[in-house]
mmCIF file of all heavy atoms in Angstrom:
data_model
loop_
_atom_site.group_PDB
_atom_site.id
_atom_site.type_symbol
_atom_site.label_atom_id
_atom_site.label_comp_id
_atom_site.label_asym_id
_atom_site.label_seq_id
_atom_site.Cartn_x
_atom_site.Cartn_y
_atom_site.Cartn_z
ATOM 1 N N GLY B 11 127.895 136.941 91.928
ATOM 2 C CA GLY B 11 129.055 137.462 91.215
ATOM 3 C C GLY B 11 130.103 137.892 92.230
ATOM 4 O O GLY B 11 131.250 137.724 91.991
ATOM 5 N N ASP B 12 129.764 138.565 93.278
ATOM 6 C CA ASP B 12 130.739 139.104 94.272
ATOM 7 C C ASP B 12 130.566 138.586 95.686
ATOM 8 O O ASP B 12 131.457 138.826 96.624
ATOM 9 C CB ASP B 12 130.793 140.643 94.245
ATOM 10 C CG ASP B 12 129.499 141.243 94.577
ATOM 11 O OD1 ASP B 12 128.647 140.627 95.338
ATOM 12 O OD2 ASP B 12 129.334 142.450 94.317
ATOM 13 N N GLY B 13 129.480 137.958 96.011
ATOM 14 C CA GLY B 13 129.284 137.394 97.382
ATOM 15 C C GLY B 13 129.030 138.318 98.435
ATOM 16 O O GLY B 13 128.864 137.952 99.599
ATOM 17 N N PHE B 14 128.775 139.611 98.172
ATOM 18 C CA PHE B 14 128.402 140.541 99.237
ATOM 19 C C PHE B 14 127.314 141.566 98.859
ATOM 20 O O PHE B 14 126.747 142.221 99.748
ATOM 21 C CB PHE B 14 129.655 141.362 99.730
ATOM 22 C CG PHE B 14 130.369 142.129 98.716
ATOM 23 C CD1 PHE B 14 129.898 143.434 98.577
ATOM 24 C CD2 PHE B 14 131.375 141.689 98.061
ATOM 25 C CE1 PHE B 14 130.542 144.291 97.559
ATOM 26 C CE2 PHE B 14 132.074 142.420 97.120
ATOM 27 C CZ PHE B 14 131.655 143.822 96.921
ATOM 28 N N THR B 15 127.121 141.775 97.718
ATOM 29 C CA THR B 15 126.103 142.737 97.271
ATOM 30 C C THR B 15 124.649 142.247 97.515
ATOM 31 O O THR B 15 124.320 141.128 97.085
ATOM 32 C CB THR B 15 126.127 143.085 95.719
ATOM 33 O OG1 THR B 15 127.487 143.661 95.474
ATOM 34 C CG2 THR B 15 125.112 144.127 95.344
ATOM 35 N N PRO B 16 123.868 142.946 98.366
ATOM 36 C CA PRO B 16 122.512 142.413 98.698
ATOM 37 C C PRO B 16 121.682 142.287 97.380
ATOM 38 O O PRO B 16 121.667 143.106 96.562
ATOM 39 C CB PRO B 16 121.885 143.506 99.507
ATOM 40 C CG PRO B 16 123.143 144.244 100.055
ATOM 41 C CD PRO B 16 124.172 144.266 98.962
ATOM 42 N N VAL B 17 120.908 141.235 97.408
ATOM 43 C CA VAL B 17 119.914 140.957 96.373
ATOM 44 C C VAL B 17 118.522 141.217 96.957
ATOM 45 O O VAL B 17 118.091 140.626 97.968
ATOM 46 C CB VAL B 17 119.935 139.474 95.883
ATOM 47 C CG1 VAL B 17 118.843 139.148 94.910
ATOM 48 C CG2 VAL B 17 121.394 139.212 95.216
ATOM 49 N N THR B 18 117.713 142.080 96.236
ATOM 50 C CA THR B 18 116.426 142.361 96.697
ATOM 51 C C THR B 18 115.328 141.906 95.851
ATOM 52 O O THR B 18 114.167 142.167 96.014
ATOM 53 C CB THR B 18 116.278 143.860 96.866
ATOM 54 O OG1 THR B 18 116.476 144.502 95.629
ATOM 55 C CG2 THR B 18 117.242 144.441 97.955
ATOM 56 N N THR B 19 115.778 141.250 94.648
ATOM 57 C CA THR B 19 114.792 140.867 93.673
ATOM 58 C C THR B 19 114.514 139.372 93.567
ATOM 59 O O THR B 19 113.891 138.890 92.674
ATOM 60 C CB THR B 19 115.268 141.276 92.350
ATOM 61 O OG1 THR B 19 116.580 140.723 92.055
ATOM 62 C CG2 THR B 19 115.413 142.806 92.245
ATOM 63 N N LEU B 20 114.928 138.614 94.563
ATOM 64 C CA LEU B 20 114.772 137.142 94.570
ATOM 65 C C LEU B 20 113.278 136.751 94.631
ATOM 66 O O LEU B 20 112.497 137.411 95.504
ATOM 67 C CB LEU B 20 115.460 136.549 95.714
ATOM 68 C CG LEU B 20 115.348 135.003 95.966
ATOM 69 C CD1 LEU B 20 115.948 134.294 94.708
ATOM 70 C CD2 LEU B 20 116.016 134.587 97.197
ATOM 71 N N ALA B 21 112.720 135.928 93.801
ATOM 72 C CA ALA B 21 111.326 135.430 93.846
ATOM 73 C C ALA B 21 111.410 133.941 93.981
ATOM 74 O O ALA B 21 111.974 133.228 93.127
ATOM 75 C CB ALA B 21 110.715 135.867 92.593
ATOM 76 N N LEU B 22 110.681 133.401 94.985
ATOM 77 C CA LEU B 22 110.624 131.939 95.143
ATOM 78 C C LEU B 22 110.131 131.204 93.974
ATOM 79 O O LEU B 22 110.752 130.169 93.621
ATOM 80 C CB LEU B 22 109.816 131.636 96.417
ATOM 81 C CG LEU B 22 110.299 131.919 97.769
ATOM 82 C CD1 LEU B 22 109.354 131.353 98.774
ATOM 83 C CD2 LEU B 22 111.692 131.319 97.946
ATOM 84 N N GLY B 23 109.096 131.748 93.263
ATOM 85 C CA GLY B 23 108.562 131.073 92.177
ATOM 86 C C GLY B 23 109.519 130.928 90.907
ATOM 87 O O GLY B 23 109.406 130.097 90.126
ATOM 88 N N ALA B 24 110.434 131.809 90.923
ATOM 89 C CA ALA B 24 111.423 131.856 89.784
ATOM 90 C C ALA B 24 112.791 131.176 90.153
ATOM 91 O O ALA B 24 113.625 131.005 89.320
ATOM 92 C CB ALA B 24 111.717 133.313 89.328
ATOM 93 N N ALA B 25 112.959 130.892 91.451
ATOM 94 C CA ALA B 25 114.229 130.295 91.895
ATOM 95 C C ALA B 25 114.410 128.907 91.394
ATOM 96 O O ALA B 25 113.381 128.230 91.117
ATOM 97 C CB ALA B 25 114.317 130.381 93.410
ATOM 98 N N ASP B 26 115.716 128.539 91.250
ATOM 99 C CA ASP B 26 115.966 127.149 90.754
ATOM 100 C C ASP B 26 115.407 126.106 91.786
ATOM 101 O O ASP B 26 114.955 125.023 91.462
ATOM 102 C CB ASP B 26 117.459 126.926 90.668
ATOM 103 C CG ASP B 26 118.003 127.846 89.557
ATOM 104 O OD1 ASP B 26 117.257 128.123 88.589
ATOM 105 O OD2 ASP B 26 119.088 128.312 89.576
ATOM 106 N N GLU B 27 115.525 126.471 93.037
ATOM 107 C CA GLU B 27 115.017 125.498 94.170
ATOM 108 C C GLU B 27 114.468 126.432 95.281
ATOM 109 O O GLU B 27 115.058 127.366 95.692
ATOM 110 C CB GLU B 27 116.182 124.710 94.747
ATOM 111 C CG GLU B 27 116.804 123.722 93.692
ATOM 112 C CD GLU B 27 118.021 123.039 94.308
ATOM 113 O OE1 GLU B 27 118.147 122.854 95.520
ATOM 114 O OE2 GLU B 27 118.910 122.563 93.445
ATOM 115 N N ALA B 28 113.356 126.071 95.869
ATOM 116 C CA ALA B 28 112.769 126.665 97.052
ATOM 117 C C ALA B 28 112.107 125.498 97.749
ATOM 118 O O ALA B 28 111.028 125.079 97.345
ATOM 119 C CB ALA B 28 111.783 127.754 96.670
ATOM 120 N N GLU B 29 112.790 125.025 98.696
ATOM 121 C CA GLU B 29 112.312 123.686 99.304
ATOM 122 C C GLU B 29 112.649 123.742 100.859
ATOM 123 O O GLU B 29 113.319 124.437 101.418
ATOM 124 C CB GLU B 29 113.246 122.545 98.816
ATOM 125 C CG GLU B 29 113.153 122.507 97.319
ATOM 126 C CD GLU B 29 114.180 121.523 96.728
ATOM 127 O OE1 GLU B 29 115.319 121.421 97.285
ATOM 128 O OE2 GLU B 29 113.943 121.042 95.564
ATOM 129 N N MET B 30 111.896 122.897 101.454
ATOM 130 C CA MET B 30 111.996 122.676 102.927
ATOM 131 C C MET B 30 112.131 121.159 103.211
ATOM 132 O O MET B 30 111.356 120.384 102.597
ATOM 133 C CB MET B 30 110.723 123.122 103.569
ATOM 134 C CG MET B 30 110.742 122.984 105.117
ATOM 135 S SD MET B 30 109.317 123.744 105.921
ATOM 136 C CE MET B 30 108.082 122.730 105.437
ATOM 137 N N MET B 31 113.073 120.791 104.007
ATOM 138 C CA MET B 31 113.213 119.249 104.411
ATOM 139 C C MET B 31 112.761 119.236 105.891
ATOM 140 O O MET B 31 113.375 119.863 106.779
ATOM 141 C CB MET B 31 114.686 118.940 104.259
ATOM 142 C CG MET B 31 115.044 117.481 104.762
ATOM 143 S SD MET B 31 114.137 116.267 103.814
ATOM 144 C CE MET B 31 115.429 115.978 102.489
ATOM 145 N N LYS B 32 111.764 118.506 106.080
ATOM 146 C CA LYS B 32 111.277 118.159 107.425
ATOM 147 C C LYS B 32 112.007 117.107 108.097
ATOM 148 O O LYS B 32 112.737 116.251 107.474
ATOM 149 C CB LYS B 32 109.769 117.776 107.337
ATOM 150 C CG LYS B 32 108.845 118.754 106.790
ATOM 151 C CD LYS B 32 107.477 118.298 106.847
ATOM 152 C CE LYS B 32 106.457 119.261 106.272
ATOM 153 N NZ LYS B 32 105.038 118.828 106.367
ATOM 154 N N HIS B 33 112.003 117.036 109.390
ATOM 155 C CA HIS B 33 112.691 116.071 110.205
ATOM 156 C C HIS B 33 112.406 114.677 109.751
ATOM 157 O O HIS B 33 111.229 114.324 109.617
ATOM 158 C CB HIS B 33 112.324 116.240 111.704
ATOM 159 C CG HIS B 33 112.921 115.260 112.607
ATOM 160 N ND1 HIS B 33 114.211 115.269 112.915
ATOM 161 C CD2 HIS B 33 112.377 114.060 113.127
ATOM 162 C CE1 HIS B 33 114.459 114.238 113.673
ATOM 163 N NE2 HIS B 33 113.386 113.448 113.801
ATOM 164 N N ASP B 34 113.417 113.914 109.448
ATOM 165 C CA ASP B 34 113.356 112.525 109.190
ATOM 166 C C ASP B 34 112.485 112.248 107.898
ATOM 167 O O ASP B 34 111.915 111.147 107.819
ATOM 168 C CB ASP B 34 112.708 111.770 110.320
ATOM 169 C CG ASP B 34 113.141 110.234 110.288
ATOM 170 O OD1 ASP B 34 114.219 109.978 109.658
ATOM 171 O OD2 ASP B 34 112.463 109.388 110.873
ATOM 172 N N ALA B 35 112.398 113.230 106.987
ATOM 173 C CA ALA B 35 111.641 112.984 105.714
ATOM 174 C C ALA B 35 112.535 112.484 104.716
ATOM 175 O O ALA B 35 113.706 112.771 104.641
ATOM 176 C CB ALA B 35 111.042 114.396 105.272
ATOM 177 N N GLY B 36 111.925 111.704 103.724
ATOM 178 C CA GLY B 36 112.703 111.111 102.661
ATOM 179 C C GLY B 36 112.653 112.041 101.428
ATOM 180 O O GLY B 36 113.267 111.704 100.384
ATOM 181 N N SER B 37 111.859 113.116 101.432
ATOM 182 C CA SER B 37 111.729 113.994 100.319
ATOM 183 C C SER B 37 111.556 115.430 100.815
ATOM 184 O O SER B 37 111.223 115.683 101.989
ATOM 185 C CB SER B 37 110.537 113.586 99.358
ATOM 186 O OG SER B 37 109.303 113.630 100.102
ATOM 187 N N VAL B 38 111.673 116.379 99.887
ATOM 188 C CA VAL B 38 111.521 117.774 100.303
ATOM 189 C C VAL B 38 110.176 118.221 100.026
ATOM 190 O O VAL B 38 109.308 117.674 99.179
ATOM 191 C CB VAL B 38 112.502 118.660 99.400
ATOM 192 C CG1 VAL B 38 113.860 118.259 99.800
ATOM 193 C CG2 VAL B 38 112.261 118.515 97.916
ATOM 194 N N THR B 39 109.738 119.324 100.706
ATOM 195 C CA THR B 39 108.433 120.054 100.469
ATOM 196 C C THR B 39 108.720 121.265 99.745
ATOM 197 O O THR B 39 109.486 122.126 100.062
ATOM 198 C CB THR B 39 107.892 120.395 101.926
ATOM 199 O OG1 THR B 39 107.662 119.198 102.593
ATOM 200 C CG2 THR B 39 106.554 121.034 101.696
ATOM 201 N N ASP B 40 107.886 121.436 98.677
ATOM 202 C CA ASP B 40 108.082 122.568 97.790
ATOM 203 C C ASP B 40 107.478 123.819 98.508
ATOM 204 O O ASP B 40 106.417 123.781 98.954
ATOM 205 C CB ASP B 40 107.397 122.395 96.438
ATOM 206 C CG ASP B 40 107.364 123.630 95.559
ATOM 207 O OD1 ASP B 40 108.495 124.246 95.536
ATOM 208 O OD2 ASP B 40 106.465 123.846 94.787
ATOM 209 N N ILE B 41 108.198 124.978 98.509
ATOM 210 C CA ILE B 41 107.832 126.133 99.190
ATOM 211 C C ILE B 41 107.696 127.358 98.158
ATOM 212 O O ILE B 41 107.627 128.456 98.572
ATOM 213 C CB ILE B 41 108.610 126.497 100.426
ATOM 214 C CG1 ILE B 41 109.938 126.748 100.041
ATOM 215 C CG2 ILE B 41 108.437 125.489 101.507
ATOM 216 C CD1 ILE B 41 110.871 127.381 101.122
ATOM 217 N N SER B 42 107.886 126.987 96.913
ATOM 218 C CA SER B 42 107.967 128.045 95.889
ATOM 219 C C SER B 42 106.652 128.925 95.776
ATOM 220 O O SER B 42 106.736 129.978 95.298
ATOM 221 C CB SER B 42 108.230 127.479 94.519
ATOM 222 O OG SER B 42 107.177 126.620 94.090
ATOM 223 N N GLY B 43 105.540 128.404 96.295
ATOM 224 C CA GLY B 43 104.299 129.224 96.314
ATOM 225 C C GLY B 43 104.001 129.955 97.523
ATOM 226 O O GLY B 43 102.993 130.696 97.638
ATOM 227 N N ASN B 44 104.926 129.890 98.502
ATOM 228 C CA ASN B 44 104.677 130.563 99.863
ATOM 229 C C ASN B 44 104.804 132.077 99.661
ATOM 230 O O ASN B 44 105.509 132.578 98.748
ATOM 231 C CB ASN B 44 105.730 130.057 100.808
ATOM 232 C CG ASN B 44 105.470 128.655 101.410
ATOM 233 O OD1 ASN B 44 105.051 127.797 100.613
ATOM 234 N ND2 ASN B 44 105.675 128.582 102.674
ATOM 235 N N THR B 45 104.292 132.865 100.527
ATOM 236 C CA THR B 45 104.386 134.248 100.599
ATOM 237 C C THR B 45 105.855 134.587 101.003
ATOM 238 O O THR B 45 106.337 134.057 101.911
ATOM 239 C CB THR B 45 103.449 134.905 101.603
ATOM 240 O OG1 THR B 45 102.123 134.466 101.326
ATOM 241 C CG2 THR B 45 103.519 136.314 101.586
ATOM 242 N N PHE B 46 106.434 135.426 100.136
ATOM 243 C CA PHE B 46 107.894 135.778 100.276
ATOM 244 C C PHE B 46 108.052 137.227 99.919
ATOM 245 O O PHE B 46 107.717 137.546 98.741
ATOM 246 C CB PHE B 46 108.677 134.879 99.294
ATOM 247 C CG PHE B 46 110.120 134.914 99.488
ATOM 248 C CD1 PHE B 46 110.813 134.476 100.626
ATOM 249 C CD2 PHE B 46 110.950 135.466 98.418
ATOM 250 C CE1 PHE B 46 112.159 134.506 100.669
ATOM 251 C CE2 PHE B 46 112.294 135.454 98.555
ATOM 252 C CZ PHE B 46 112.920 134.922 99.633
ATOM 253 N N ALA B 47 108.583 138.039 100.767
ATOM 254 C CA ALA B 47 108.679 139.446 100.336
ATOM 255 C C ALA B 47 109.899 140.097 101.049
ATOM 256 O O ALA B 47 110.282 139.738 102.103
ATOM 257 C CB ALA B 47 107.368 140.191 101.043
ATOM 258 N N ALA B 48 110.472 140.874 100.269
ATOM 259 C CA ALA B 48 111.724 141.654 100.756
ATOM 260 C C ALA B 48 111.342 142.543 101.872
ATOM 261 O O ALA B 48 110.221 143.208 101.870
ATOM 262 C CB ALA B 48 112.356 142.536 99.598
ATOM 263 N N ILE B 49 112.203 142.695 102.744
ATOM 264 C CA ILE B 49 112.006 143.499 103.945
ATOM 265 C C ILE B 49 112.469 144.915 103.707
ATOM 266 O O ILE B 49 113.689 145.089 103.247
ATOM 267 C CB ILE B 49 112.684 143.000 105.200
ATOM 268 C CG1 ILE B 49 112.079 141.474 105.569
ATOM 269 C CG2 ILE B 49 112.473 143.911 106.468
ATOM 270 C CD1 ILE B 49 112.919 140.809 106.733
#
């Protein structure tokens, strides 16, 4: 909404996309199940 208010409730499993692109890969690797925690 404003581009500066910190978000602390992001969850990878609920995100629209959570991906990793490896070097020279033709497709992405899903990381939505990885451990992810607010600091």
